[in-house]
Amino acid sequence: MPEQPELTIQGWGPATRPRDATVTGGTEADDGTLQLTAFPDLAELLPRTARRHLARELDWTPRRTPPVPVADIRLAPSRLAEDYRLRLVELLGEEHVRTDRETRLRHAGGKSYLDLLRRREGDASDAPDAVVAPGSTEETAALLALCSGMGVVAVPFGGGTSVVGGLSGIDADDRPSVSVDLARMAGVRALDVASSLVTVGPGMRAPALEEHLERSGLTLGHLPQSWEYATLGGYAATRSAGQASTGVGRFDDLVAGLTLATPSGVLQVGSPPASAAGPDLLGLVLGSEGALGVITELTLRVRPRPRARAYEGWSFRSWAAGLAGLQRLARHDLLPDVVRLSDPDETRANLLMAAGRGAAALRGVLRVRRRGEGCLLVVGWEGLPPLLRARRRAAVSVLRESGAVRVGRRVGESWRRHRFAAPYTRDSLLDAGLLVETLETAATWTALPTVYDAVRGALGESLGRRGKPALVMSHVSHGYPTGASLYVTVLADRDDALPIQQWLSAKRAATDALMAAGGTLTHHHAVGADHRPWLEREIGPLGVEVLRAVKQRLDPAGVCNPGVLLPE
Amino acid sequence: MPEQPELTIQGWGPATRPRDATVTGGTEADDGTLQLTAFPDLAELLPRTARRHLARELDWTPRRTPPVPVADIRLAPSRLAEDYRLRLVELLGEEHVRTDRETRLRHAGGKSYLDLLRRREGDASDAPDAVVAPGSTEETAALLALCSGMGVVAVPFGGGTSVVGGLSGIDADDRPSVSVDLARMAGVRALDVASSLVTVGPGMRAPALEEHLERSGLTLGHLPQSWEYATLGGYAATRSAGQASTGVGRFDDLVAGLTLATPSGVLQVGSPPASAAGPDLLGLVLGSEGALGVITELTLRVRPRPRARAYEGWSFRSWAAGLAGLQRLARHDLLPDVVRLSDPDETRANLLMAAGRGAAALRGVLRVRRRGEGCLLVVGWEGLPPLLRARRRAAVSVLRESGAVRVGRRVGESWRRHRFAAPYTRDSLLDAGLLVETLETAATWTALPTVYDAVRGALGESLGRRGKPALVMSHVSHGYPTGASLYVTVLADRDDALPIQQWLSAKRAATDALMAAGGTLTHHHAVGADHRPWLEREIGPLGVEVLRAVKQRLDPAGVCNPGVLLPE
């Protein structure tokens, strides 16, 4: 198992290096092996042309707004009573119950813009009172029963990469809380090659699993942007989607079985390959976000490593033409494994910000083809060569009929090589006085254009109230026969006086607008604390009541991550 | 909408013709249109060679054991109190509350072997006390609230084709019961062609929907053997799989949204194309079998009608070789859309029983290729011609490497044309003194051979206790990357004295054995009343408790189909 790097306390990237030096980013080698290698330094991440473009677009004055030193982060003393701590120690051993400052800080919150703002300002009020690390399903179940008896909140911790407040630890009764770190349950437990199934611990990360599977010629193929740090248990708890989910399926589709430790006992769900024995309890544990218990084991569907891959760029004249083209591919099940259609604003920004990464070449191609920047589409196919060729040929013919022009493999390969890079740029943008956040949704093909307009309008209006315009860039990142996801990146000059309120207002406006237009509350980031106020609107009051009934049965004392999912 | 034929009270086939005359069966025309057309008469269904083979194999003496005349079926008077009936009439109107003998008999039980035995013996003790027909979601919710208040059991009725006791109406408190007939909610409510989504009422049947969709060049493609009679709501409530589910997906995969009317209100679930907003409540309604409420609307994923199809037969030397071949296809996602691998016993019986349907030609081919009867594999591909060719070529190469030989298109086409025929043969076999029943399961590729041996062993031993051997025939009917389903048909000389006990013992032995070997309780027939005793073994005591908590919240008086799903 490769060493698992920890994230910095105040940003993205590995904790073992100073965060303002050259950072490490995930890249993909020529042979397709995913690996952690050196990433270009910050000057290349945000070249001068891009800085000028942003300054102009956002009426933004680049300025130094660095985070407070880590040593200055304010951390309240642990509220865990000593006799409670001793009972935890009795169960797990002294070395697996930690209350030191460093460990508590590392388990404070997740990695949303709001999380980073707080940590950069020196606020760690969401830090747990202790960090505990159970080593097995039985120990986790005993731990949760103990917490339930003591009235101590338990928040599962995988990679700490939540961007929706999944680790906020909020509790209406303000009880002490422990972070349940799953790092001790991070190994492969069984591999059934004939059935394409691997069983793993929840704290395992995808890079380590891929390394293990490679020896058998297999892959999981789940590649979200958080791939280097997030855990497999976290993907299940949040219903993650990855960059190749259009092809290999959402993480939901890769899970064949789960074990959930709860205060009321252990639940084993999933019956591969398929069952009609009553409602699907697996689907009830997926997306449960720690609110029903802690996932302690996963059985995942793996597949042979692809023998061939083809990534390439295409260009549409307009967003509407791009969506129409994808929709035609989708209804005939011709979508490639990776599909990523950028709107005009994102296309322009990508070309500017990606200087030195083939962007000049791309601009050249577009000029020759007498295109404006238009909308860039990155597509990728993987698999057996003859099938890949047939799928690609059929898709290419639809793309051509839809008015797209091919801009070559270099764009596709460049995207693939830097597929995990985006979060690394965020820290430097924050340092320079910007608001940087993303949000995402999904809608049917019919509703998608309306949802797109609604989100852009709401964000533009809310963030524009200070008299400075926002830059709202969107792309479709996952396609389905019935619709697609929409991923939105927002940049604006940060309100240094009230930065949290600035984003909360914008997020509220955007969420209200996208839901009114028919979008889902979240396509792949979960509910967390941030989306809780809208859950009832998404699933209805009776839907909320059903979830409450399940929670009440499994977690009667309400100690399992009470700050997420269900509205207060 | 074509006229929807009703099933006979004592068997399969349309009620409008005498059941011992030429019956109607579903077939497929040359152009691939699915239609209801004349079916060969009984002499052809069970030719002399097959009768002789069965008599020899089963030590069975063909005899006439006809059902009692319908007029002689015993039916207790309705137990529904008049004031309760009047309240139902007030809600639904006089014409939608029926207590006449004919209507009650038509809604008694389903179509399992045990159901037919009871009905043939003149027993209709499972008939509802009344049949009610709500016309909308709101009316259904009001009806269920009324039933909840009156303490009247409500059992949803779609096509009446359950083979697991889904309509048994069993109630521990022996309260009066109504059958909630969904025939009034049987239309298309919306069609969103761009998003490949159609919204329908639960009482609609697939033939009518296919006819509607054909006008837009679309198809649903869900083709279970009960296709002519079963309803779309029923498919969702039981987590159905169809003959092409390997390609188009299980019915679960085709459902994008559901509306469930419950005594506590209306639940709307599903958020196409995908969502990460908490646990999947859609999966909780799928497979709920009427125990949580009544499905009153479905939004289904449709697709373009296939432009090409190729069906053909292959032969493996052995069952083990056949399973290994399918597993190799499966792990590379190369399974055809239809996959049906028969074991040696089923292959032999099919060849004998299918005399006059190309069987002679097939036997000729096998002789030329110096094969014994071996194991017959029927495969079918549908879709866009170039993709179909590429998929077929890749699969054929794996089949050849796995030792299979091609036996031609005639076998495949013959299977396709008679794909809905099997249930029609059952009545004539019952008339002649046979036990005829099926059961099904699924397991991972690793566990499947053990499950197969276990089921055969258990059925053979249990049914052999009378000194007469059983014929146990199996096939794989649906393939997945991680495993496959197993469909088992059992024939034996019927114990005329204790026919129900004969089958109950065999079923119990088979279910215990298949579960011990790692098979699921049911792959596509639901739990019903028949599988209830094993649900806890399938999902664990805590899993049962979770379902109980959900039921308690939605149906506190326990009036929603209390005889199914949850153990007493």
Side-chain angles (χ1 to χ4, degrees), chain A residues 192 194-195 275-276 327 446 520 522, chain B residues 192 194-195 275-276 280 327 446 520 522:
Chain A
D192 177 351
S195 306
S275 176
Q327 185 269 332
T446 300
T520 179
T522 168
Chain B
D192 177 352
S195 305
S275 175
D280 178 28
Q327 185 269 333
T446 300
T520 180
T522 168

Side-chain angles (χ1 to χ4, degrees), chain A residues 53 57 343-353 373-374:
Chain A
H53 171 72
E57 291 266 323
D343 76 350
D345 279 315
E346 183 171 288
T347 301
R348 191 175 315 116
N350 276 351
L351 289 176
L352 282 164
M353 295 177 73
E373 284 160 343

Side-chain angles (χ1 to χ4, degrees), chain A residues 85-103:
Chain A
R85 195 189 69 80
L86 289 175
R87 287 164 74 181
L88 292 169
V89 166
E90 191 183 354
L91 177 67
L92 303 173
E94 188 80 46
E95 71 275 33
H96 302 309
V97 180
R98 308 274 294 270
T99 52
D100 60 284
R101 174 182 166 86
E102 164 88 10
T103 304

Side-chain angles (χ1 to χ4, degrees), chain A residues 5 14 17 22-30 33-40 227-229 417-418 420-421 424:
Chain A
R17 301 179 187 217
T22 301
V23 292
T24 297
T27 65
E28 212 171 320
D30 278 339
T33 318
L34 292 157
Q35 48 191 217
L36 309 176
T37 54
F39 192 81
W227 183 78
E228 301 157 83
Y229 301 102
R417 278 163 201 272
H418 299 93
F420 307 122
Y424 290 90

Side-chain angles (χ1 to χ4, degrees), chain A residues 231-481:
Chain A
T231 56
L232 297 162
Y235 296 147
T238 59
R239 304 186 70 186
S240 166
Q243 291 168 346
S245 290
T246 301
V248 306
R250 299 164 60 80
F251 198 71
D252 291 3
D253 303 318
L254 302 180
V255 180
L258 288 175
T259 303
L260 184 78
T262 82
S264 303
V266 175
L267 194 60
Q268 276 185 308
V269 293
S271 199
S275 176
D280 179 27
L281 296 178
L282 179 57
L284 204 57
V285 176
L286 288 165
S288 58
E289 304 184 18
L292 302 180
V294 176
I295 293 167
T296 56
E297 188 163 284
L298 304 91
T299 297
L300 303 171
R301 183 234 160 147
V302 295
R303 62 188 77 219
R305 289 173 68 78
R307 296 202 189 145
R309 66 164 50 81
Y311 281 76
E312 59 192 40
W314 287 74
S315 172
F316 282 99
R317 262 187 215 288
S318 71
W319 178 241
L323 289 182
L326 292 193
Q327 185 269 332
R328 288 176 72 184
L329 287 173
R331 72 189 300 255
H332 289 286
D333 273 332
L334 286 177
L335 284 173
D337 299 308
V338 169
V339 187
R340 206 177 167 89
L341 173 70
S342 295
D343 76 350
D345 279 315
E346 183 171 288
T347 301
R348 191 175 315 116
N350 276 351
L351 289 176
L352 282 164
M353 295 177 73
R357 284 196 234 149
L362 171 58
R363 274 193 294 270
V365 171
L366 289 173
R367 208 173 307 121
V368 167
R369 301 201 180 242
R370 292 162 190 249
R371 289 263 166 163
E373 284 160 343
C375 289
L376 183 65
L377 171 70
V378 171
V379 283
W381 292 267
E382 306 206 341
L384 294 173
L387 285 184
L388 186 156
R389 281 194 298 273
R391 291 173 61 214
R392 185 179 167 279
R393 258 199 302 268
V396 159
S397 137
V398 172
L399 286 172
R400 289 232 162 85
E401 283 166 30
S402 307
V405 297
R406 190 163 180 267
V407 292
R409 297 189 57 169
R410 200 158 155 184
V411 173
E413 288 298 322
S414 169
W415 173 82
R416 195 168 66 79
R417 278 163 201 272
H418 299 93
R419 63 196 313 169
F420 307 122
Y424 290 90
T425 67
R426 187 171 51 163
D427 293 338
S428 58
L429 298 172
L430 293 178
D431 286 348
L434 282 171
L435 174 158
V436 198
E437 184 53 308
T438 63
L439 56 83
E440 38 80 52
T441 181
T444 62
W445 291 111
T446 300
L448 201 60
T450 319
V451 170
Y452 171 79
D453 289 340
V455 173
R456 283 173 61 84
L459 286 170
E461 203 216 306
S462 174
L463 291 169
R465 280 190 204 128
R466 293 172 63 239
K468 297 193 172 199
L471 177 58
V472 181
M473 304 172 290
S474 307
H475 64 257
V476 162
S477 57
H478 307 82
Y480 302 85

